[in-house]
Amino acid sequence: MLLLCLAPYIPMKHIPTIAGVLLGLLFLAASLMFLLELGPKPEAPPKGSLAEHFWAAFGPTGYMKFIKICELVGAVLVAIPRTRTIGLLILAPIVANIFAFHVYLTDGSGLTEPMVLAAGSLTVIVLLCELPKLCGLMRGTAGSGSGGAGKKPS
């Protein structure tokens, strides 16, 4: 929302950088709060709900620690313009899983929380800005500007 308000005053070339840094900061804060056990613990899901069964399965396994470490790595990479595409490859599936959790396990509850909306909207902005690079990665032509790597011989 902040980006939309400031849009007339910010040159369009800075939007990917701002969105990438904000997305990186969001996931950096969330991962560090979990890993360093800062702040309050989230409230438990309702008894007998699908979300409770989900957390009962994944909570004791250390799976969340793995996800939070991936978030931390992705946050640092997405905040740096040169490595933003790799960071997006790490964070986009995590954001998709956050949305899937809220849609399928909590029946849409929590989808309107500010952190969820911010993560989703910033990911979409960065994804749209990085789409040519992502397509280049899939075609095998990413980085073709340096040394002719990925170019067809003439």
Side-chain angles (χ1 to χ4, degrees):
M1 187 58 115
L2 176 66
L3 291 176
L4 294 176
C5 296
L6 296 176
Y9 308 105
I10 300 174
M12 290 301 288
K13 68 180 183 177
H14 297 301
I15 297 296
T17 302
I18 293 169
V21 168
L22 289 175
L23 183 63
L25 287 174
L26 187 139
F27 275 102
L28 184 70
S31 61
L32 286 177
M33 284 184 68
F34 179 86
L35 293 170
L36 300 176
E37 297 179 6
L38 303 171
K41 299 282 182 202
E43 59 187 54
K47 294 283 184 198
S49 67
L50 291 173
E52 182 196 29
H53 294 298
F54 179 86
W55 290 120
F58 287 118
T61 63
Y63 179 74
M64 283 305 294
K65 186 174 259 186
F66 169 73
I67 294 297
K68 292 299 179 178
I69 290 171
C70 289
E71 284 182 11
L72 182 65
V73 171
V76 171
L77 291 174
V78 83
I80 302 168
R82 191 172 197 91
T83 59
R84 184 167 297 132
T85 308
I86 298 168
L88 191 60
L89 288 174
I90 295 170
L91 291 181
I94 293 172
V95 172
N97 277 296
I98 291 170
F99 275 94
F101 174 83
H102 287 291
V103 168
Y104 295 111
L105 298 178
T106 65
D107 294 325
S109 171
L111 276 175
T112 57
E113 290 181 13
M115 291 279 282
V116 175
L117 292 175
S121 58
L122 288 170
T123 302
V124 168
I125 291 169
V126 174
L127 179 69
L128 291 175
C129 293
E130 296 293 318
L131 202 55
K133 291 180 185 175
L134 287 169
C135 290
L137 276 176
M138 292 188 191
R139 279 184 269 133
T141 59
S144 60
S146 60
K151 291 185 179 178
K152 292 181 182 178
S154 45

